[in-house]
Amino acid sequence: MNITNDKSINNRNLVFLIGSLIMLIAGIAIFAIHVLWMAVTAVIISVIIELIFAKVRGYKLTVGVFVTPIILTLILPPTLPLYMVGVGAFFATFFAKSLFGGDGKYIFNPAVAGVLFLIITFPAFLNTMWLNPVTEVVSSATPLGSLASGNLSLSFTELLMGNTAGYVGETFRLG
């Protein structure tokens, strides 16, 4: 894999990647090993697509190749099946990122586009698959949804440390 020395893009992507990895590690600690497999699946699919586009178009890859799959993993429910993660990573990298020219040239955030595609394609999974890390029960309510209905029974500490249901990257607030 060829990594370019374009400092403006690489430095920004590297800082963003480090911050995202902190959130991913917290997500793995909170929700267990399935989140790691989600990230590995998203990275493998995205890197393969990026390598194909780099070969065809003749450009070099940057560390930005890892940003989209990590962000995608962070904004997915922690119980999502791996094939759905792969579908989201494929859509995000192929349609929302690579077709527009790659790093820094896309018009939509590729990870968000991948999640939106998954929400349209698999609405039942994306709207109801919230794992509570304390009870390990899948529920359909996140803290924000509970607050809207007036049933929020979580303490400030539970919310801060990530002992709540939600997206992989949304639960741990200290990151």
Side-chain angles (χ1 to χ4, degrees):
M1 182 182 322
N2 296 324
I3 305 294
T4 66
N5 287 328
D6 183 2
K7 293 193 188 247
S8 64
I9 292 176
N10 271 346
N11 288 343
R12 182 183 62 212
N13 284 336
L14 189 60
V15 168
F16 201 73
L17 189 61
I18 291 169
S20 300
L21 286 174
I22 292 169
M23 297 303 294
L24 182 63
I25 291 168
I28 293 167
I30 292 168
F31 293 112
I33 198 77
H34 183 70
V35 173
L36 175 63
W37 292 121
M38 288 172 60
V40 168
T41 301
V43 166
I44 288 171
I45 298 290
S46 292
V47 167
I48 289 171
I49 292 168
E50 292 269 5
L51 283 171
I52 291 169
F53 269 87
K55 180 94 169 151
V56 169
R57 291 190 175 162
Y59 64 80
K60 296 181 180 184
L61 296 179
T62 67
V63 294
V65 71
F66 299 107
V67 172
T68 296
I70 298 299
I71 297 302
L72 177 75
T73 304
L74 291 174
I75 56 179
L76 290 174
T79 58
L80 200 66
L82 295 180
Y83 75 92
M84 289 185 196
V85 175
V87 168
F90 177 83
F91 186 88
T93 308
F94 186 86
F95 289 106
K97 184 177 183 184
S98 296
L99 284 183
F100 287 100
D103 242 3
K105 297 179 181 149
Y106 42 83
I107 59 174
F108 308 109
N109 182 309
V112 173
V115 171
L116 289 175
F117 179 76
L118 288 174
I119 288 171
I120 292 167
T121 311
F122 307 105
F125 282 94
L126 272 288
N127 294 325
T128 61
M129 301 300 289
W130 308 110
L131 179 68
N132 186 323
V134 175
T135 62
E136 295 186 1
V137 173
V138 175
S139 70
S140 61
T142 63
L144 190 56
S146 299
L147 182 62
S149 65
N151 296 330
L152 185 63
S153 61
L154 298 167
S155 71
F156 177 74
T157 306
E158 288 173 318
L159 289 171
L160 189 65
M161 295 308 293
N163 295 331
T164 63
Y167 293 112
V168 171
E170 121 181 272
T171 56
F172 185 65
R173 302 325 190 266
L174 294 178

